[in-house]
Amino acid sequence: LEILMRGKDLSKYLLCENEDALEDDMGGNGEDEEDEDEEASTAFCNQWLDVVGLAVAGRLLERTMRIPRLGRKGAEHLATDLNYIRNVFTALGVSGHPHPLLGYVAQLVTLEDGTLRSTIKRRRQGGDAEVSSEAMEVIKRVELRIAYVRSISV
């Protein structure tokens, strides 16, 4: 489940995801003691922000999957909120954030009904065998749940 928790390499399996990879290099060259302290501080902050980011993204996705019904206006509002959180994570510049499922869920809630239906149908036919079965199962369930709360028959 590491691929789901971290979101690393997950975006290539999501529908039309166009996120750029964030840079991993956030430190200086470490030439003197002050640079070493700054690098250690930066590493600690990045680790802390990574943990907070994963917790926030996980909780937000968990609560999103509990939404009982979602109309057009609610879907637009949810997509706006998810994209806002993604922008905050992007601005922080922490490697691996925002989690790709945040953007994917934002896309799914506003996707045309027919497009979501065809995506689910394609997944059921096993068109994505190259990703781990656990990760693909979660992606399928997210798509099905979003279709259900949007009252889209599949």
Side-chain angles (χ1 to χ4, degrees):
L1 292 180
E2 183 71 18
I3 190 173
L4 288 170
M5 283 182 50
R6 295 279 173 196
K8 186 176 180 173
D9 300 325
L10 185 62
S11 62
K12 61 185 169 187
Y13 302 109
L14 304 178
L15 182 66
C16 300
E17 190 64 32
N18 293 326
E19 293 191 29
D20 295 328
L22 296 174
E23 293 183 26
D24 290 333
D25 185 21
M26 302 265 315
N29 59 12
E31 290 180 359
D32 61 1
E33 188 176 307
E34 190 174 300
D35 285 343
E36 289 175 11
D37 288 344
E38 188 174 315
E39 285 180 19
S41 177
T42 298
F44 172 79
C45 288
N46 285 339
Q47 288 173 344
W48 185 81
L49 286 172
D50 182 46
V51 169
V52 170
L54 288 173
V56 168
R59 182 69 171 161
L60 185 57
L61 289 169
E62 182 256 329
R63 296 301 297 169
T64 299
M65 293 299 106
R66 290 179 180 225
I67 294 172
R69 291 282 175 235
L70 195 60
R72 186 180 54 80
K73 287 287 187 193
E76 290 172 3
H77 188 93
L78 178 59
T80 300
D81 289 346
L82 291 170
N83 285 323
Y84 176 79
I85 292 294
R86 290 177 63 226
N87 287 338
V88 169
F89 285 139
T90 300
L92 290 173
V94 179
S95 179
H97 293 278
H99 194 287
L101 282 178
L102 290 174
Y104 191 56
V105 171
Q107 182 183 7
L108 288 175
V109 297
T110 57
L111 202 60
E112 292 292 325
D113 295 6
T115 305
L116 183 53
R117 254 189 229 101
S118 65
T119 298
I120 292 169
K121 183 179 178 181
R122 179 179 50 83
R123 299 250 198 237
R124 282 183 174 160
Q125 294 170 349
D128 298 304
E130 66 274 0
V131 69
S132 81
S133 61
E134 290 176 337
M136 186 49 64
E137 188 61 32
V138 170
I139 292 169
K140 288 177 183 179
R141 287 178 186 219
V142 166
E143 293 167 347
L144 286 170
R145 179 65 186 170
I146 295 300
Y148 174 77
V149 300
R150 290 183 54 200
S151 300
I152 298 171
S153 61
V154 289

